[in-house]
Amino acid sequence: MNREELKTYLPHREPMLLVDEAHIAEPGLCKATYRIRPDEYFCQGHFPGNPIVPGVIQCEIMAQSCALLLGNDIIGKTTLYTGINNVRFKRVVRPGDLCEIEARLVSRRSNLVFCSAQLTVEGELCCKGDLSFALVDTPTSNE
């Protein structure tokens, strides 16, 4: 899936859509990529002259990749994260880096989803962790 196709599944939009491409490699495994652009809002002040992708953004990149594991079940839903556990940061991520994400579905109980994910750049582990979220209906706007 490309960015436009991803918008069918993910409720995120620019500048918070943090997946460029994704595919389900096998049941329960999503492989995704995201290129960190030089003008990303989160790198502008983190840190001037030495831009580094914040850890919370790395977690969000992994989280969006995890949500894609649900396929059509996510359409019209919002993912509300209930836990981010055992997260470890191993390498700095910078503008220009191509992040490669592997997200695995660990288990699902009703509307609760449990996943594990890792983010690598050029084959080097940058971040990994366990993520859980509740899948809830997206309210409709009365506007």
Side-chain angles (χ1 to χ4, degrees):
M1 290 180 274
N2 63 31
R3 278 180 79 81
E4 288 308 309
E5 293 166 325
L6 290 167
K7 290 178 183 179
T8 301
Y9 300 94
L10 295 175
H12 306 80
R13 296 297 180 264
E14 291 78 6
M16 280 305 297
L17 179 59
L18 301 175
V19 179
D20 289 329
E21 294 182 351
H23 70 281
I24 302 301
E26 60 188 56
L29 173 65
C30 177
K31 292 192 175 191
T33 59
Y34 184 68
R35 171 86 59 191
I36 306 297
R37 291 150 182 82
D39 62 346
E40 298 278 13
Y41 75 92
F42 48 79
C43 288
Q44 293 174 16
H46 194 266
F47 300 96
N50 183 27
I52 295 172
V53 176
V56 69
I57 296 295
Q58 293 177 53
C59 289
E60 180 64 22
I61 293 168
M62 293 189 310
Q64 289 182 25
S65 300
C66 288
L68 292 167
L69 287 163
L70 300 181
N72 290 337
D73 288 351
I74 197 171
I75 296 173
K77 306 286 186 183
T78 300
T79 51
L80 299 179
Y81 277 81
T82 58
I84 300 176
N85 301 303
N86 303 314
V87 173
R88 299 292 180 263
F89 300 98
K90 303 290 187 178
R91 177 190 181 279
V92 170
V93 179
R94 298 185 180 280
D97 284 346
L98 177 64
C99 299
E100 297 179 286
I101 304 90
E102 284 192 9
R104 291 188 182 277
L105 180 63
V106 174
S107 67
R108 183 172 179 185
R109 291 190 295 262
S110 184
N111 71 326
L112 295 176
V113 180
F114 302 87
C115 300
S116 65
Q118 68 176 27
L119 184 154
T120 61
V121 171
E122 295 180 0
E124 290 185 48
L125 181 63
C126 299
C127 180
K128 66 178 183 173
D130 302 319
L131 302 100
S132 60
F133 58 92
L135 195 61
V136 300
D137 290 329
T138 300
T140 55
S141 175
N142 293 330
E143 298 176 353

